[in-house]
Amino acid sequence: MPLQEHKVLVANRGEIAMRIMRACRKLGVAFAAVYTSEDAASGHVRLAREEGGEKSLFRVASYHDANELMAVADEAGCTAVHPGYGFFAEDFRFARRVTKRDRKLIFIGPSWKIIRELGDKINTKRLARGLGVPTVPGSDRPIYDELEAERIAKTVFEFQTQQGIRRPLVLVKASAGGGGMGIEEVYDPDQFRSVYRRVRNYALRQFKDEGVLIEQRITDFNHLEVQIVSDRTGRNPVHFGTRNCSIQSTGLQKRIEVAPGFAPDTLEYTFDAAKVLTDIVDYSLTMARKVGYDNVGTWEWIVTRKGEPFLMEVNTRIQVENGVSARISRIKGKDGVDLIAEQIRTGLGQPLGYAQEDIDFDGVGVEYRLIAEDPDNNFTPWVGRIERFQWKDAPWLTLLTHVPHKEPYEIPTEFDPNLALAIVWGKDLAQARQRGLAFLDSLRLEGKNGAGEGLKSNVDFLKANTERILRF
């Protein structure tokens, strides 16, 4: 079916919904959008009306209700569903339902079997190890035998000692657990056996499964990512470079992302940073080829201070920070890469149309996540009304936001208080940092909460951390 005959249900909200709509328009693809009553003032609602008219916009009770989303898709005559990120983006059951219902739709993302296969971290670790891809030491399956558990724990302790970690730590986790339940830390190898038995018994009582995972916790590392794109054949994945996402909140939530992942030509590292970038790209593509990966995805890595990379997980969806990778990318010499448009185009069945040698990179991109939160109080979300949101436009700046500029905006308490993404480009790291600070200095972000207290944001935190981007 030609692209222009498709219609995509945008099953998300806020800035990602806006980016999907704009990508659809760029491709000549119709769309239908959804919103809840809490989001009536969101920019994605206004954009849907402007670009698609009232018939392209549907009010729903919840973004989490799959039945309601399917009903909207049918009423609007959609042929495909784009989940964005969050909500149903990595739910293989939802993806399977979309493609196997009586009125079949296309799920714009990897096939549901791949989401299921790579969404299981234990399975991903086992797959990686089978391909010679380095993973964090520990078990790649639930352990039921105490002697085997002790052997694995010993290798994890030894690994940390080799890393120069003064106080090695092993995590003992109930494999059937979740949400932080059934996890204990062991610092003393002599205490391992008693902790293992305690967690195993807890797992049996709580989850009816006494399987236990033995894992390593690496605390001194950089968090890197590899952006992968492939078409439905799954045979020709390509990469759009690397990102460094090491500047995070205390809750390990990303706040600044930088592409590429290191700057070996500019900064000094205690390891061969260029080789690390090449290695994680090669490892990621090896896995993508093995599973026949057939859309957009991100391979997430940790890199130790010794320059050793370990695969952490695979995110089978478009990520928030896809735009910073697109900003430094060129396809056949042309800039203006739109990875969401590429995701939609290939998701609807079009061939990739280019190879790795057709992709090159230029400059450094920095993405700031602007959030209403208090970094001095454990990044606690701030709730209130945005009364002023202005910045100075520049050709090197892309600002993505669902917050209206011309009228006040009440932040919905039902969702994370993300306000905008600012993507800054520079010809090199120094210029990207300089421009990033110029943008942050130009920003005017004001508001009040119900008690009349001023808005709290992470702008100062972003300024303070700009100097250390890409440094280890």
Side-chain angles (χ1 to χ4, degrees):
M1 182 187 296
L3 283 181
Q4 291 71 24
E5 295 181 19
H6 282 286
K7 188 173 187 178
V8 173
L9 174 66
V10 183
N12 216 297
R13 64 178 294 275
E15 60 85 19
I16 185 59
M18 297 172 74
R19 291 158 85 177
I20 296 168
M21 291 179 217
R22 288 177 176 137
C24 285
R25 275 287 175 250
K26 187 184 300 183
L27 296 168
V29 175
F31 67 81
V34 293
Y35 73 103
T36 62
S37 57
E38 298 86 1
D39 259 344
S42 172
H44 88 270
V45 175
R46 175 178 296 179
L47 183 66
R49 288 195 178 106
E50 291 174 353
E51 295 292 336
E54 287 292 341
K55 291 185 178 180
S56 70
L57 187 62
F58 295 81
R59 179 170 157 175
V60 294
S62 170
Y63 299 108
H64 296 276
D65 190 329
N67 291 332
E68 201 169 11
L69 294 176
M70 293 300 97
V72 170
D74 290 341
E75 184 176 346
C78 293
T79 60
V81 176
H82 195 311
Y85 51 71
F87 298 134
F88 290 111
E90 292 180 286
D91 186 331
F92 79 85
R93 294 176 181 85
F94 179 80
R96 181 175 60 191
R97 176 179 177 179
V98 166
T99 57
K100 289 187 172 294
R101 62 201 294 266
D102 289 341
R103 184 178 175 274
K104 291 180 173 58
L105 299 168
I106 297 169
F107 181 80
I108 298 181
S111 61
W112 67 266
K113 290 183 180 178
I114 289 175
I115 298 175
R116 182 178 64 180
E117 183 175 6
L118 295 179
D120 183 329
K121 292 184 181 181
I122 296 176
N123 187 65
T124 299
K125 184 182 247 188
R126 190 181 303 128
L127 171 68
R129 289 183 174 179
L131 294 170
V133 175
T135 62
V136 175
S139 55
D140 58 8
R141 56 184 173 79
I143 304 299
Y144 296 88
D145 180 79
E146 187 172 291
L147 291 178
E148 183 180 8
E150 283 191 298
R151 285 196 298 272
I152 294 171
K154 182 180 178 182
T155 64
V156 173
F157 276 119
E158 289 174 348
F159 170 81
Q160 292 181 76
T161 300
Q162 293 165 5
Q163 292 289 317
I165 296 173
R166 295 179 182 176
R167 197 182 181 207
L169 161 67
V170 169
L171 293 179
V172 184
K173 303 169 62 174
S175 64
M181 297 174 62
I183 302 176
E184 289 201 37
E185 299 176 347
V186 183
Y187 292 91
D188 183 351
D190 293 335
Q191 297 296 317
F192 175 80
R193 182 174 292 191
S194 62
V195 173
Y196 170 81
R197 290 174 179 173
R198 185 161 61 244
V199 173
R200 182 185 62 191
N201 292 336
Y202 174 85
L204 184 61
R205 288 195 312 272
Q206 295 293 323
F207 310 116
K208 311 304 182 203
D209 182 347
E210 59 181 353
V212 171
L213 298 174
I214 317 299
E215 293 187 350
Q216 153 90 38
R217 175 179 284 174
I218 298 177
T219 55
D220 187 14
F221 63 86
N222 263 210
H223 178 175
L224 270 71
E225 299 177 343
V226 178
Q227 178 68 66
I228 300 293
V229 178
S230 185
D231 60 25
R232 288 303 189 195
T233 67
R235 292 193 297 266
N236 55 352
V238 297
H239 75 89
F240 279 85
T242 58
R243 298 186 287 262
N244 192 311
C245 307
S246 300
I247 298 177
Q248 303 178 352
S249 70
T250 51
L252 301 183
Q253 299 298 308
K254 302 169 191 173
R255 291 297 180 263
I256 303 177
E257 296 102 358
V258 191
F262 287 130
D265 296 333
T266 305
L267 301 177
E268 288 189 9
Y269 297 90
T270 58
F271 51 86
D272 188 341
K275 182 179 185 300
V276 170
L277 296 181
T278 298
D279 286 348
I280 64 174
V281 165
D282 289 346
Y283 286 136
S284 301
L285 287 171
T286 295
M287 287 185 67
R289 293 188 194 101
K290 178 64 176 179
V291 300
Y293 201 85
D294 61 352
N295 200 242
V296 169
T298 297
W299 268 246
E300 300 215 6
W301 296 83
I302 59 177
V303 177
T304 70
R305 191 165 287 279
K306 289 189 173 183
E308 297 169 309
F310 297 100
L311 179 69
M312 199 163 43
E313 63 182 340
V314 178
N315 284 325
T316 54
R317 55 174 168 81
I318 198 73
Q319 284 191 280
V320 176
E321 58 270 28
N322 76 86
V324 75
S325 292
R327 186 63 184 85
I328 68 165
S329 301
R330 309 287 183 268
I331 299 176
K332 297 181 179 179
K334 297 180 180 179
D335 59 7
V337 171
D338 183 340
L339 291 177
I340 296 178
E342 291 302 290
Q343 180 189 26
I344 295 170
R345 188 178 65 78
T346 56
L348 294 177
Q350 287 206 339
L352 198 60
Y354 47 86
Q356 192 65 59
E357 55 266 27
D358 297 318
I359 303 171
D360 55 25
F361 305 97
D362 179 34
V364 173
V366 179
E367 178 175 277
Y368 295 111
R369 298 193 188 195
L370 298 172
I371 302 174
E373 61 184 2
D374 184 1
D376 295 328
N377 185 24
N378 204 31
F379 292 84
T380 302
W382 182 87
V383 177
R385 176 184 290 253
I386 305 292
E387 296 176 339
R388 185 184 183 193
F389 186 24
Q390 296 174 333
W391 61 92
K392 186 176 179 181
D393 284 323
W396 41 261
L397 172 67
T398 302
L399 198 134
L400 305 166
T401 182
H402 60 282
V403 178
H405 325 310
K406 297 181 179 178
E407 63 261 0
Y409 175 72
E410 199 77 35
I411 299 174
T413 57
E414 293 78 10
F415 310 109
D416 292 337
N418 300 314
L419 303 180
L421 301 173
I423 301 172
V424 173
W425 180 88
K427 64 182 179 182
D428 53 28
L429 180 58
Q431 188 178 66
R433 279 199 302 243
Q434 175 191 3
R435 287 175 169 177
L437 290 173
F439 159 71
L440 293 170
D441 285 338
S442 79
L443 196 59
R444 296 295 175 264
L445 184 55
E446 300 168 4
K448 292 181 181 177
N449 63 14
E453 299 165 332
L455 179 147
K456 293 187 180 296
S457 77
N458 65 342
V459 172
D460 287 342
F461 172 84
L462 300 177
K463 287 181 183 179
N465 282 277
T466 293
E467 178 57 33
R468 72 180 186 94
I469 58 177
L470 298 190
R471 299 185 187 278
F472 202 118

